[in-house]
């Protein structure tokens, strides 16, 4: 199509054309200009519409992006609220994990397909619960024992006694006859008494032959050079720190009250002397622990002060790994390192062990359990999960149901029904363990393979059922993550039903780690790698003595003196063996307390199983 200018030129050139044709050309030119103007306006409107569409598209994209950001923020807020709730619960909530029945607690449903073995086991469990509950009711109906006679309330006969006579004044006794005395026993405490033993070693010389030198009796081995401190001082220092959890600066006050104020470095040297003498005993206890079929393991943090310069680690068995961690911390200028204290708890043997590492690295458990063949139970840390592969199937990992239950229980406020149902079945697993506690290994295994396996099947079915589907429980929610944790470690969580030596949880070892946590609140940190190793060895000995209900000070004093005298029969000096030779040093009241606590727990669970 020609432009308007071309038509104007055509009209101007051809002026000889008739007027009507010229009018037509003019009209066509005018119409063409109008068409072009309209097209231009259309193009402008189209451009404006395109810009509007693009703006709408950008706005829609911005809205979607804002919505996505809002969803992420909402998810973050929910996560932070759950974290705050968890922290508040840890600070101010109940410390015990024992559940109290409430309105949200569901009755246990064992499903429709119950095998005869399960029915038989349930009937036996009900009969046992009835017997326990009936025994508890009968004992509660019995009359309370009469108040003991006065002689029975006297203090132990082996305590030293002295008499103090209180009489009337002489002027009041005139004309009276003495008919007897009323005795009142009052217990007194005398502050710890320190005394200095001066030992004089005779010296002899040959009067005629001076070349023979001076002869003197052989001197015993002491804790420190010069034999300046008796083993009783070393026992007091170690027992105060690792049994009573008193740091050196508090021990200074105790000793100062008795007339001697030692420096902290002196107390540290005494501790090091005790550890050096008993180091082989700690190694023997670790070796004895690995004779068990199942070992529990757990760890907790210990602050390690970063040294100003690299120490000499050439003689340390883990020198390379320790050197890498210390070099990194020194280069980064870190004032301290989050080291780890590991605890090991034998399932059947009366022994515990501790180990110190500079980080939570798998080298620790791998080295301690280097020649161990059996089961390891703990949390689902990746280092534990892969220990079976690293050990060439020599060690089998079993997961802890207490950890799984804890993760599920944290979701109670958001998913009360699902949590109540899952905890009902988990509680049933613990009830079964309570019932079979006193049975032999084959009976326990048979009960686990019948009743426990059935309950585990119900839990597994519920986790894959409608109530736990993504439509009701989002995968990223706290319950979704807890369920994923259980599904992911299901094989390890189910291993206890195929081995009677595997406990259902690792609570015994976790209770053991409380000793580290309590001590950490007092001595706060370790000043060096070697101080951490000394603490692990001494805590191994003290912890095993506690597990055997021994008088820790009496045990340490005897074995330390015998070790200094040269005795090396560590199997005989182990707490469980020493216990048999020294029944007078057994804390029987601790055994009674545990027995009474276990009886109360059995009665409480029996009443609950019967719905009382």
């Amino acid at each position: 199509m020609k432009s308007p200018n071309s038509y104007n030129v055509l009209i101007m050139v051809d002026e000889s054309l008739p007027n009507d044709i010229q009018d037509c050309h003019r009209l066509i030119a005018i119409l063409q200009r109008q068409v072009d103007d309209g097209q231009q306006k259309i193009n402008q409107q189209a451009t404006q519409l395109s810009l509007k569409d693009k703006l709408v598209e950008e706005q829609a994209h911005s809205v979607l992006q804002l919505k996505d950001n809002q969803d992420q923020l909402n998810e973050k807020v929910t996560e932070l609220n759950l974290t705050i709730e968890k922290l508040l619960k840890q600070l101010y909530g109940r410390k015990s994990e024992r559940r109290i029945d409430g309105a949200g607690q569901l009755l246990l449903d064992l499903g429709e397909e119950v095998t005869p073995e399960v029915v038989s086991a349930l009937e036996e469990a009900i009969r046992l619960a009835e017997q326990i509950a009936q025994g508890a009711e009968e004992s509660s109906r019995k009359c309370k024992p009469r108040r003991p006679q006065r002689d029975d309330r006297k203090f132990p006969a082996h305590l030293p006694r002295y008499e103090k006579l209180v009489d009337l004044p002489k002027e009041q006794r005139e004309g009276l006859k003495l008919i007897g005395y009323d005795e009142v026993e009052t217990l007194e405490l005398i502050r710890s008494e320190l005394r200095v033993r001066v030992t004089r070693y005779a010296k002899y010389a040959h009067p005629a032959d001076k070349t023979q030198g001076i002869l003197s009796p052989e001197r015993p081995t002491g804790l420190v050079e010069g034999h300046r401190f008796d083993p009783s001082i070393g026992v007091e220092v170690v027992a105060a720190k690792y049994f009573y959890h008193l740091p050196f600066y508090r021990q200074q006050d105790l000793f100062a009250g008795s007339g001697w104020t030692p420096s902290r470095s002196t107390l540290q040297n005494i501790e090091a002397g005790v550890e050096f003498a008993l180091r082989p005993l700690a190694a023997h206890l670790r070796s004895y622990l690995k004779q068990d079929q199942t070992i529990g393991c757990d760890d907790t943090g210990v602050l390690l002060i970063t040294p100003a310069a690299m120490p000499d680690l050439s003689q340390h068995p883990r020198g390379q790994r320790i050197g890498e961690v210390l070099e990194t911390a020194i280069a980064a200028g870190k004032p301290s390192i989050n080291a780890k204290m590991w605890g090991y708890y034998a399932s059947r043997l009366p022994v515990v062990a501790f180990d110190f590492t500079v980080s939570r690295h798998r080298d620790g458990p791998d080295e301690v359990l280097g020649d161990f063949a059996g089961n390891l139970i703990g949390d689902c840390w990746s280092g534990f999960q892969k220990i079976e592969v690293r050990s060439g199937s020599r060690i089998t990992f079993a997961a802890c149901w207490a950890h799984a239950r804890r993760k599920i229980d944290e979701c109670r406020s958001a998913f009360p029904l699902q949590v109540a149902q899952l905890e009902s079945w988990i509680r049933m697993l613990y009830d079964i363990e309570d019932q079979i506690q006193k049975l032999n290994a084959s009976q326990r295994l048979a009960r686990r393979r019948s009743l426990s396996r059935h309950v585990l099947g119900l839990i597994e079915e519920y986790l894959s059922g409608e109530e736990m589907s993504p439509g009701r429980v989002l995968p990223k929610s706290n319950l979704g993550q807890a369920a994923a944790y259980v599904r992911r470690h299901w094989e390890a969580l189910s291993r206890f039903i195929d081995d009677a030596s595997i406990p259902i949880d690792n609570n015994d070892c976790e209770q053991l780690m409380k000793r580290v946590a309590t001590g950490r609140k007092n001595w706060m940190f370790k000043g060096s790698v070697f101080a951490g190793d000394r603490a692990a060895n001494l805590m191994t000995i003290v912890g095993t003595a506690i597990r055997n209900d021994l008088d820790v000070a009496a045990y340490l004093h005897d074995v330390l003196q015998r070790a200094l005298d040269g005795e090396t029969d560590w199997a005989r000096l182990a707490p469980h063996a020493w216990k048999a030779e020294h029944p007078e040093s057994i804390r029987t009241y601790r055994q009674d307390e545990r027995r009474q606590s276990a009886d109360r727990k059995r009665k409480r669970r029996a009443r609950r199983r019967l719905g009382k």
Side-chain angles (χ1 to χ4, degrees):
M1 182 179 294
K2 296 181 179 179
S3 65
N5 293 333
S6 63
Y7 281 105
N8 290 336
V9 172
L10 178 62
I11 293 172
M12 292 172 64
V13 171
D14 196 5
E15 292 182 354
S16 61
L17 292 176
N19 292 333
D20 54 347
I21 295 176
Q22 293 178 3
D23 292 339
C24 288
H25 281 291
R26 293 190 186 96
L27 180 60
I28 291 172
I30 293 171
L31 291 175
Q32 186 63 43
R33 282 196 299 270
Q34 293 177 352
V35 170
D36 291 341
D37 292 341
Q39 185 65 39
Q40 187 176 4
K41 291 181 179 179
I42 291 174
N43 291 336
Q44 292 177 354
Q45 292 177 355
T47 303
Q48 293 177 355
L49 289 175
S50 176
L51 292 174
K52 289 182 179 179
D53 291 341
K54 186 176 181 180
L55 181 60
V56 170
E57 183 179 356
E58 291 178 353
Q59 290 177 345
H61 180 71
S62 300
V63 169
L64 292 176
Q65 187 175 4
L66 289 173
K67 187 176 183 303
D68 185 53
N69 293 338
Q70 184 180 6
D71 293 339
Q72 293 179 2
L73 290 174
N74 289 336
E75 184 178 350
K76 189 67 176 178
V77 168
T78 303
E79 182 181 351
L80 291 175
N81 286 334
L82 291 173
T83 303
I84 292 172
E85 181 182 354
K86 182 179 179 180
L87 292 174
L88 290 175
K89 183 178 179 181
Q90 290 178 352
L91 287 173
Y92 307 111
R94 296 175 64 249
K95 301 301 181 183
S96 173
E97 292 186 351
R98 179 170 65 89
R99 298 302 310 169
I100 300 177
D101 293 338
Q105 180 66 49
L106 300 181
L107 295 176
L108 184 61
D109 181 11
L110 291 180
E112 299 178 356
E113 299 179 359
V114 183
T115 63
E117 295 179 354
V118 175
V119 173
S120 175
L122 286 174
E123 291 176 350
E124 183 179 350
I126 293 175
R127 288 195 298 270
L128 178 61
E130 290 176 346
Q131 293 176 3
I132 296 174
Q134 184 178 0
E137 292 176 358
E138 291 178 356
S139 61
S140 63
R141 285 197 299 266
K142 291 181 180 179
C143 298
K144 293 183 179 180
R146 293 184 303 172
R147 187 174 181 178
Q149 298 295 326
R150 189 174 185 85
D151 291 342
D152 296 337
R153 292 189 291 115
K154 289 187 177 182
F155 296 108
H158 66 272
L159 295 177
R161 285 168 167 78
Y162 72 96
E163 291 187 357
K164 178 181 179 181
L165 181 62
V166 180
D167 204 346
L168 292 174
K170 184 176 180 180
E171 58 273 11
Q172 295 184 13
R173 297 199 304 264
E174 294 291 340
L176 300 180
K177 180 182 179 182
L178 178 65
I179 60 174
Y181 293 94
D182 287 333
E183 290 188 355
V184 178
E185 288 195 347
T186 304
L187 188 65
E188 295 180 354
L189 174 65
I190 301 176
R191 204 170 208 175
S192 299
E193 179 182 357
L194 293 174
R195 61 184 181 182
V196 179
R197 182 179 70 241
V198 180
T199 305
R200 304 176 66 186
Y201 293 93
K203 297 188 297 183
Y204 292 90
H206 199 282
D209 187 3
K210 296 183 179 181
T211 60
Q212 294 186 10
I214 298 175
L215 299 179
S216 182
E218 182 180 358
R219 302 190 182 188
T221 304
L223 284 178
V224 297
E225 185 178 359
H227 200 270
R228 299 187 65 246
F229 300 104
D230 186 74
S232 59
I233 299 297
V235 168
E236 187 68 21
V237 171
V238 171
K241 186 171 183 180
Y242 297 106
F243 182 57
Y244 298 108
H245 309 295
L246 297 179
F248 287 152
Y249 76 90
R250 293 182 189 169
Q251 293 188 40
Q252 283 181 302
D253 294 333
L254 290 178
F255 283 115
S258 299
W260 173 56
T261 307
S263 64
R264 299 181 193 180
S265 60
T266 298
L267 296 177
Q268 182 178 354
N269 290 336
I270 294 173
E271 177 193 320
V274 175
E275 186 271 338
F276 180 78
L278 298 181
R279 190 179 302 170
L281 175 59
H284 169 76
L285 293 177
R286 291 192 184 95
S287 177
Y288 178 66
L289 173 129
K290 288 180 283 188
Q291 297 178 18
D292 207 328
Q293 179 64 25
T294 301
I295 295 176
C297 182
D298 198 9
D299 68 284
T300 187
V302 174
L303 201 65
L304 173 65
I305 301 301
T306 304
M310 280 295 296
D312 182 11
L313 300 171
S314 58
Q315 303 299 323
H316 200 288
R318 301 172 186 162
Q320 181 178 357
R321 172 64 182 169
I322 295 173
E324 293 174 357
V325 175
L326 292 183
E327 286 178 356
T328 303
I330 293 173
K334 293 183 178 179
S336 62
I337 300 171
N338 185 24
K340 294 294 179 181
M341 187 70 76
W342 301 80
Y344 298 87
Y345 190 94
S347 176
R348 303 296 173 83
L349 299 179
V351 61
V352 302
F354 290 89
D355 184 48
F356 178 79
T357 61
V358 295
S359 63
R360 197 186 196 197
H361 197 265
R362 62 174 180 264
D363 288 352
D366 283 1
E367 182 177 334
V368 173
L369 304 176
D371 55 349
F372 170 69
N375 306 306
L376 176 67
I377 182 170
D379 55 29
C380 292
W381 172 53
S382 59
F384 289 156
Q385 296 178 49
K386 299 175 182 178
I387 197 170
E388 186 171 351
V389 177
R390 297 194 306 272
S391 65
S393 300
R394 175 172 43 85
I395 299 176
T396 302
F397 173 68
C400 168
W401 265 104
H403 282 82
R405 180 181 61 182
R406 199 172 299 141
K407 290 181 179 296
I408 293 173
D409 186 68
E410 291 173 356
C411 314
R412 177 175 292 273
S413 59
F415 301 92
L417 295 180
Q418 290 92 331
V419 170
Q421 181 65 74
L422 288 171
E423 285 196 342
S424 295
W425 281 316
I426 296 175
R427 175 177 285 183
M428 182 62 180
L429 291 176
Y430 276 85
D431 283 345
I432 296 169
E433 294 300 309
D434 182 58
Q435 298 164 24
I436 66 178
Q437 185 177 10
K438 296 184 178 181
L439 302 180
N440 58 42
S442 59
Q443 291 173 331
R444 286 199 306 273
L445 187 60
R447 187 63 61 86
R448 283 179 173 181
R449 287 179 172 175
S450 59
L451 190 55
S452 297
R453 188 187 298 275
H454 180 78
V455 177
L456 286 176
L458 295 175
I459 296 175
E460 187 176 20
E461 181 181 356
Y462 187 81
L463 290 175
S464 59
E466 178 66 23
E467 292 295 330
M468 297 294 294
S469 62
R472 297 192 178 185
V473 179
L474 295 177
K476 291 187 177 181
S477 64
N478 53 0
L479 182 58
Q481 294 178 4
Y485 174 91
V486 176
R487 296 191 197 100
R488 188 166 57 251
H489 306 296
W490 185 256
E491 183 179 359
L493 286 168
S494 304
R495 286 214 166 98
F496 78 99
I497 64 175
D498 294 321
D499 192 331
S501 69
I502 301 178
I504 191 173
D505 57 36
N506 196 33
N507 281 349
D508 289 333
C509 190
E510 290 191 8
Q511 293 290 330
L512 176 67
M513 301 310 293
K514 285 186 175 181
R515 301 199 61 80
V516 183
T518 304
R520 185 179 56 208
K521 291 180 180 179
N522 292 273
W523 37 258
M524 297 179 67
F525 60 86
K526 289 299 174 186
S528 67
V529 174
F530 302 102
D533 292 336
R534 287 198 301 267
N537 289 332
L538 292 173
M539 291 176 67
T540 296
I541 299 171
V542 173
T544 304
I546 294 173
R547 183 171 180 181
N548 285 272
D549 299 313
L550 294 179
D551 180 345
V552 174
Y555 169 72
L556 286 177
H557 189 277
D558 185 61
V559 297
L560 179 58
Q561 184 64 65
R562 289 162 70 174
L564 293 175
D565 291 341
E567 187 170 345
T568 57
D569 187 0
W570 305 113
R572 186 180 179 186
L573 295 180
H576 61 279
W578 190 89
K579 176 181 180 179
E581 298 178 359
H582 300 81
E584 72 282 357
S585 296
I586 300 176
R587 298 305 196 201
T588 55
Y589 59 87
R590 293 297 184 200
Q591 298 174 341
D592 295 338
E593 287 175 355
R594 285 199 305 273
R595 191 180 305 110
Q596 294 169 4
S597 177
D599 289 343
R600 289 194 299 269
K601 184 184 294 185
R602 292 179 70 245
K603 293 174 183 178
R604 184 176 63 248
R605 289 178 174 176
R607 292 192 182 100
R608 176 172 50 78
R609 286 194 291 268
L610 295 174
K612 296 183 179 181

